[in-house]
Amino acid sequence: MRKITLEEHFSTPELSKNLVAKPTKSESRFKDIVCRLNDFDELRIETMDKAGIDLQVISVTAPGVQAHSNIKEAIRLAQQANDMLAVQIQKRPTRYAGFAHLATQDAYAAADELERAVKNLGFLGALINGQTNGHFLDEEMYFPFWERVQDLDVPIYLHPGRMADLPLIYNGHPELIGPIWSWGCDTAAHALRMVFAGTFKRYPRVKIILGHMGEMIPYFFWRLDSRWKAYQSEKVAPEDLPSTIIKNHFVITTSGVFNPDVLINAIAAMGKDNVMFSVDYPYEDTQLASSFIETAPISEEVRAKICYGTAERILKINLQSPTPSTP
Ligand code: MN
């Protein structure tokens, strides 16, 4: 079955100096990951071909320029990364597409770069690596950014990044920090901040993509709704249930969670039109991801939606015709 994947990463030599943490204890595996992050040729294409992936939507790996304290430098490096990716997409417009990298230290600069990436480079949206300098996307400073996102009508992928601080609960347990646990909690809380801040009331056409099977949120719908009724906040009407807001404004991907039972729960919670296949290349095993989605016990109609149909709708592309390329 044809496949589009949306959480697939790259890096630039300059941004590689800043990688979040070693994603593995194995030196050789780490070397392989860094090599694959910087590759757009044989390694990436061979892996895609073997797993039957038609199109990768590629983005800068965490944390990228969001870790930079010098804002001017962050803006420059983000533009440079987007230009580099655009060159690779132009070489293989039917295989690669892009999510923009943005210097979210400055909401206006991020909005301008998103507009440039979408209009001039043919990118399909942006991927943001969590908080920036302790600021979260629901804050007032980001209103101009969301206004532009809404005007451009492109999705924003909210991906884990560096944590703003380290809660005491993780003291003495470095194994809990990162993809194994803290990134999921952190990204879920970031997404829920937007839900409860009324971001989607203010910007009703904004769409957010969450990876890792929805960062645990779909599993929590019933509890979110029942406790919401008990607590509430003044920014969201009591009749607007969190699960309804999430189903209307979020789409999730399977990145890094290749378990059919979890997939079935995710489809039941989010709806069959709100789940998309993704891998999280090069951190995850592309072949394992592909076999998982090919063999999951779901109907062929739903499999087609998850593998490419919903991505085509959300990204406004058609696999049969090339992705938008540089004019
Ligand atoms: Mn990722």
Side-chain angles (χ1 to χ4, degrees), residues 7-9 61 127 157 159-160 212 255 280-281 283:
E7 198 197 304
E8 320 311 323
H9 303 302
T61 195
L127 180 140
Y157 204 120
H159 183 278
H212 315 109
S255 63
D280 202 355
Y281 179 89
Y283 300 102

Side-chain angles (χ1 to χ4, degrees), residues 26-281:
S26 152
E27 269 309 315
S28 61
R29 176 76 184 109
F30 180 62
K31 270 191 193 143
D32 180 54
I33 286 172
V34 173
C35 181
R36 286 172 178 275
L37 281 170
N38 287 283
D39 159 84
F40 286 93
D41 297 312
E42 286 77 19
L43 285 174
R44 196 176 289 259
I45 285 290
E46 255 177 37
T47 306
M48 289 169 67
D49 285 347
K50 245 176 109 186
I53 292 165
D54 297 74
L55 182 76
Q56 260 197 358
V57 186
I58 303 173
S59 52
V60 166
T61 195
V65 302
Q66 288 179 245
H68 278 254
S69 48
N70 182 326
I71 300 179
K72 269 195 182 155
E73 184 68 352
I75 293 170
R76 183 185 72 79
L77 287 172
Q79 288 172 349
Q80 191 185 70
N82 292 330
D83 287 338
M84 273 181 65
L85 179 57
V87 168
Q88 299 300 333
I89 295 170
Q90 259 191 314
K91 286 190 206 161
R92 291 185 170 91
T94 59
R95 306 304 304 278
Y96 297 155
F99 277 145
H101 191 49
L102 306 174
T104 39
Q105 289 87 340
D106 178 331
Y108 288 98
D112 288 346
E113 180 60 5
L114 176 65
E115 183 162 346
R116 183 185 80 92
V118 171
K119 290 190 174 165
N120 300 350
L121 307 178
F123 283 18
L124 305 176
L127 180 140
I128 296 179
N129 289 312
Q131 60 84 31
T132 311
N133 292 337
H135 290 288
F136 299 89
L137 295 167
D138 59 293
E139 292 177 36
E140 204 173 328
M141 65 177 275
Y142 286 112
F143 287 178
F145 174 71
W146 290 118
E147 203 170 306
R148 201 85 63 90
V149 169
Q150 179 158 276
D151 287 346
L152 290 166
D153 197 18
V154 290
I156 301 295
Y157 204 120
L158 178 57
H159 183 278
R162 278 199 183 153
M163 294 173 83
D165 55 3
L166 204 55
L168 284 176
I169 189 79
Y170 297 119
N171 268 5
H173 284 272
E175 72 281 2
L176 291 177
I177 303 162
I180 196 169
W181 187 251
S182 73
W183 286 355
C185 293
D186 211 46
T187 310
H190 198 164
L192 291 174
R193 284 179 63 112
M194 295 180 72
V195 171
F196 292 119
T199 305
F200 305 105
K201 203 162 200 150
R202 188 177 274 270
Y203 305 104
R205 296 196 306 280
V206 164
K207 271 270 186 230
I208 304 291
I209 305 173
L210 284 180
H212 315 109
M213 221 55 110
E215 311 287 7
M216 301 183 274
I217 289 178
Y219 191 68
F220 239 69
F221 274 178
W222 198 91
R223 187 154 170 80
L224 282 174
D225 288 351
S226 86
R227 290 307 89 197
W228 169 242
K229 285 176 197 150
Y231 294 104
Q232 301 187 357
S233 93
E234 68 283 2
K235 293 201 175 129
V236 179
E239 64 274 17
D240 290 342
L241 291 177
S243 68
T244 310
I245 299 173
I246 293 162
K247 279 185 269 190
N248 287 338
H249 294 281
F250 288 77
V251 191
I252 68 170
T253 77
T254 65
S255 63
V257 183
F258 311 134
N259 180 325
D261 297 331
V262 180
L263 175 70
I264 284 160
N265 179 78
I267 296 167
M270 292 294 294
K272 62 182 177 356
D273 291 304
N274 285 328
V275 182
M276 305 184 287
F277 177 60
S278 289
V279 177
D280 202 355
Y281 179 89

